[in-house]
């Protein structure tokens, strides 16, 4: 059973370019979360999506950032007009809803390390 | 507001026991998680507590007291490979799933 997959693993962009980060959740998982980890800082929640729906985007910057999880294909985190402060590791996680009430642990992908030059 | 506190770093000796504490103040609570993260890698799930008490899983145990807003992760028989960052995270109250609010992480160094 393949884990959460993210690509690219490393991405270099010049200031002003666009960055597209992709995430394929674990098989059978319908919940996707994006987190950002700045250097020397903890993981910060950005957005929570289910197929074709944004459930919680309270951690997303108001401008330049958007996310989607289409019916078919991976979830995409899109950053327009990148700035140096966007340099960070971006992690995607997925989880499954259990009717039994058992734990809803989130499984993390390997991350995309974005460097803005 | 949401606040999760854990020590920044700890050092312990191979073969010993170490306890990493975490205190939290959140507007909702629906479970507390511990993750391990090696440098440059993804966080990996270690444990989950939603009820008060101790959960044991091999060399790792996690404790929760909801009334005190307190948890700890206990690592026994420390090995060099346990050197990593340990992340405490609280799941905000939500109908299904729900975002995790992470602490800064505790960098554990295991010395020979």
């Amino acid at each position: 059973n393949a884990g959460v997959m993210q690509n690219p693993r490393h991405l270099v962009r010049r200031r002003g370019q666009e960055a597209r980060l992709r995430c394929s959740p674990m098989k059978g998982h319908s919940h996707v979360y994006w987190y950002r980890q700045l250097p020397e800082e903890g993981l910060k929640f950005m957005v929570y999506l289910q197929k074709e729906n944004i459930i919680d985007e309270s951690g997303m910057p108001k401008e330049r950032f958007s996310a989607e999880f289409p019916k078919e294909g991976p979830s995409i985190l899109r950053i327009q007009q990148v700035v140096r402060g966007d340099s960070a590791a971006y992690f995607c996680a997925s989880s499954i809803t259990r009717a039994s009430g058992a734990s809803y642990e989130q499984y993390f992908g390997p991350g995309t390390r974005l460097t803005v030059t | 507001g949401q606040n999760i506190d854990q020590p920044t770093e700890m050092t312990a000796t191979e073969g010993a026991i170490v306890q990493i504490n975490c205190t939290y103040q959140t507007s909702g609570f629906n479970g507390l998680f511990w993750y391990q993260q090696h440098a440059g890698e993804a966080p990996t799930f270690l444990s989950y507590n939603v009820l008060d008490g101790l959960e044991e899983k091999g060399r790792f145990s996690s404790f929760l007291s909801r009334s005190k807003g307190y948890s700890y992760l206990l690592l026994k028989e420390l090995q060099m490979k346990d050197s990593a960052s340990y992340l405490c995270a609280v799941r905000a109250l939500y109908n299904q799933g729900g975002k995790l609010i992470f602490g800064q992480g505790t960098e554990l160094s295991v010395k020979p």
Side-chain angles (χ1 to χ4, degrees), chain B residues 45-60:
Chain B
F45 170 74
L46 289 178
S47 70
Y48 164 76
N49 296 70
V50 68
L51 299 175
D52 291 350
L54 190 68
E55 293 284 339
E56 296 186 80
K57 206 188 252 190
R59 293 190 299 117
F60 294 74

Side-chain angles (χ1 to χ4, degrees), chain A residues 31 33 35 37 42-43 45 48 50 55-56 58 91 97 103-106 108-110 113, chain B residues 30 33 35 37 40-43 45 48 87 91 94-100 102-104:
Chain A
H31 302 251
Y33 309 81
Y35 294 86
Q37 189 171 38
L43 283 157
F45 167 78
Y48 162 34
Q50 294 181 22
I55 307 301
D56 181 356
S58 59
F91 289 97
T97 304
S103 63
Y104 299 72
E105 64 266 26
Q106 295 179 15
F108 283 79
R113 277 144 188 89
Chain B
N30 196 15
F33 297 77
Y35 283 83
Q37 186 179 26
E41 297 184 11
F45 170 74
Y48 164 76
L87 313 177
R91 184 171 65 216
Y94 222 95
N95 292 330
Q96 293 180 336
K99 66 185 179 187
L100 295 179
F102 282 87
Q104 291 283 87

Side-chain angles (χ1 to χ4, degrees), chain A residues 4-46:
Chain A
V4 179
M5 298 175 68
Q6 290 188 249
N7 66 83
R9 295 290 303 275
H10 299 274
L11 182 62
V12 180
R13 285 287 177 265
R14 291 200 186 97
R15 278 180 298 169
Q17 290 185 318
E18 178 180 288
R20 276 181 179 249
L21 288 61
R22 286 175 289 277
C23 168
S24 296
M26 286 180 71
K27 187 176 180 180
H29 285 197
S30 56
H31 302 251
V32 166
Y33 309 81
W34 286 93
Y35 294 86
R36 177 165 64 175
Q37 189 171 38
L38 293 166
E40 309 301 323
E41 291 191 19
L43 283 157
K44 301 289 186 198
F45 167 78
M46 299 182 76

